[in-house]
Amino acid sequence: MSGDCIFCKIAKGEFGTKFIYEDKDLLAFHDINPQAPVHVLIISRNHISRINQLDDSNPDLAGKMILTANKVARNEKISKAGYRLVFNCGPDGGQEVEHIHLHLLGGRQMSWPPG
Ligand code: AMP
Ligand code: ZN
C-alpha cells in the first residue's frame, strides 16, 4: 500500500469495486471512464508505480498480467475479434495513476497511431 494511491485503495476493497478476476497477485475491474465497449484494468495487488519499475525481483509479473488480460478477453467475448493491451508509462506515456496497470480495450475497431 502506498499513501493515497487510488489503486491500492481499490485493491483493499475500499470502494467496493467489483473484481472480474482476482488471484494472489492481480486484480481486474472495469475502467470507470471506459474508452471502448470493453475497457478493463489489470492491476498488481502490490504497489509498483510503473512498468519500468519492474526488475529481476519480479520477472513474471508483466507476463502474468498479459495472460490475465487474455483470459478476461475470452470471458468478455472479444478474443476472436481482437483487442488492444496498453501499458502507459510515465508522463509522456499518458500514465495518470501511478500504480502499475494494463489496459484491455476492445469491442470496437482501434485506430493507429494512438493519440
Ligand atoms: P492511466 O492513464 O494509464 O494511468 O489509466 C488510469 C485509468 O484508471 C484511467 O483509464 C481511469 O479512467 C481509470 N480509473 C481511475 N480511477 C478509477 C476507479 N476508481 N475505478 C476504475 N477505474 C479508474
Ligand atoms: Zn498503489
Side-chain angles (χ1 to χ4, degrees):
M1 169 75 184
S2 173
D4 284 334
C5 174
I6 191 162
F7 284 1
C8 282
K9 289 182 177 171
I10 286 175
K12 285 173 69 187
E14 286 189 20
F15 302 124
T17 306
K18 183 182 171 229
F19 301 132
I20 59 173
Y21 175 87
E22 57 183 310
D23 66 26
K24 69 178 182 29
D25 301 313
L26 304 178
L27 297 165
F29 51 88
H30 292 286
D31 196 292
I32 202 168
N33 182 24
Q35 301 302 310
V38 176
H39 187 172
V40 172
L41 301 174
I42 294 95
I43 76 165
S44 165
R45 280 188 189 271
N46 292 334
H47 184 84
I48 298 167
S49 58
R50 299 180 183 176
I51 190 79
N52 65 4
Q53 298 301 303
L54 294 180
D55 58 23
D56 291 344
S57 68
N58 41 24
D60 301 329
L61 189 70
K64 273 202 72 173
M65 292 176 86
I66 291 170
L67 295 184
T68 299
N70 288 343
K71 256 182 230 168
V72 173
R74 283 195 290 276
N75 291 343
E76 297 286 328
K77 313 267 187 269
I78 57 170
S79 221
K80 196 167 172 211
Y83 45 90
R84 184 168 290 175
L85 301 180
V86 178
F87 282 108
N88 293 327
C89 181
D92 275 7
Q95 184 176 4
E96 288 182 356
V97 177
E98 289 270 340
H99 178 126
I100 195 168
H101 54 279
L102 175 59
H103 294 261
L104 165 64
L105 296 144
R108 68 167 169 85
Q109 178 67 56
M110 298 294 150
S111 59
W112 194 265

